[in-house]
Amino acid sequence: MSRAHTALRRAGLGTALAAAALLTAPGVASAHVTVHPDSYAKGATDGVLSFRVPDESDTASTTKVQLFLPTDHPLLGVLVSPHDGWTATVTDTKLKTPVKTDDGTITDAVSEITWTGGKVAPGHYEDFDVAFGQLPDDTAELTFKTLQTYSDGKVVRWIEEAAKGDEEPENPAPVLKLTSAATASGTATKGSVATPAATKASASDSTARGLGAAGLVVGVLGLAAGAFAVVRSRTAK
């Protein structure tokens, strides 16, 4: 086997090892519980929110997800989409301030949804879909505090809220921005529903950015490994 061919094989091996190291590093796999799309028009009707729950443990599976819906600015007409392997328990709460609608006055709203019975394996994620009849039109954002329970008993509390101008906290709660117009990709206006394609595009945006950054680093490491191998082969002549 020629020294040049050997050098190329070493360069390829170096690239593969670099890629493996990046893909298994905690920083690359790290993710938060998020809501998709991340924005909707104020007062939007007949839409769907997808809550993405990644499993960040190396050994334990996610076995329980508790989602808390705001009641000071409630979502009306909440329905939970069936999810294979999971059982959803819905809790209603009497509102301190009833909401007047064209169909009458609403005095109760969903305040908590708990999914149990299923499993999110390490390194995987699940999307939990929640449909709504109408979003509030008197606030700029909605915060959905979430508790994630692992099979080893660990509970991650995604409940922290960042003040305006502050850095993102360690365990941020999912936040849905409410806009006065459909200014973001995947945002549904009042009386319409975001298309599945737009929702999936918004949901995968952060993942794509992370993979893109990882790919760039892998490429740089691969080139460095290749150059090093070539230099060694020439030195050995």
Side-chain angles (χ1 to χ4, degrees):
M1 184 180 297
S2 67
R3 290 178 177 175
H5 186 62
T6 301
L8 289 174
R9 287 192 61 185
R10 289 175 178 172
L13 178 60
T15 302
L17 291 175
L22 281 170
L23 293 176
T24 56
V28 174
S30 179
H32 305 321
V33 173
T34 50
V35 58
H36 304 276
D38 58 6
S39 64
Y40 253 106
K42 292 181 178 180
T45 58
D46 301 325
V48 176
L49 298 176
S50 183
F51 294 89
R52 176 160 295 183
V53 180
D55 189 291
E56 300 182 86
S57 174
D58 293 330
T59 57
S61 298
T62 297
T63 57
K64 182 179 180 180
V65 176
Q66 294 170 270
L67 177 70
F68 297 91
L69 285 69
T71 55
D72 52 347
H73 302 286
L75 280 70
L76 305 181
V78 170
L79 296 173
V80 182
S81 175
H83 201 66
D84 290 345
W86 295 85
T87 298
T89 302
V90 179
T91 300
D92 290 337
T93 295
K94 194 170 189 63
L95 299 176
K96 292 181 179 179
T97 304
V99 179
K100 294 183 178 180
T101 70
D102 294 338
D103 298 322
T105 301
I106 306 299
T107 59
D108 298 87
V110 174
S111 59
E112 180 183 345
I113 304 172
T114 301
W115 287 273
T116 56
K119 181 175 69 174
V120 183
H124 293 72
Y125 72 87
E126 290 279 358
D127 287 339
F128 297 88
D129 295 335
V130 176
F132 62 82
Q134 183 175 343
L135 294 177
D137 58 7
D138 58 351
T139 184
E141 64 181 31
L142 296 173
T143 300
F144 298 89
K145 296 183 179 182
T146 307
L147 302 184
Q148 180 180 10
T149 301
Y150 285 88
S151 56
D152 60 3
K154 179 181 178 181
V155 177
V156 180
R157 301 168 61 84
W158 302 101
I159 62 173
E160 298 176 357
E161 301 179 54
K164 188 175 182 180
D166 289 350
E167 295 183 358
E168 183 180 66
E170 183 177 356
N171 295 314
V175 175
L176 177 70
K177 301 293 184 181
L178 296 181
T179 63
S180 56
T183 56
S185 175
T187 299
T189 58
K190 187 173 182 179
S192 63
V193 181
T195 63
T199 301
K200 291 299 182 183
S202 175
S204 61
D205 181 63
S206 59
T207 301
R209 290 179 182 177
L211 290 176
L216 179 61
V217 176
V218 169
V220 172
L221 292 176
L223 289 174
F228 179 71
V230 170
V231 171
R232 287 193 61 185
S233 66
R234 289 178 178 177
T235 304
K237 289 182 179 180

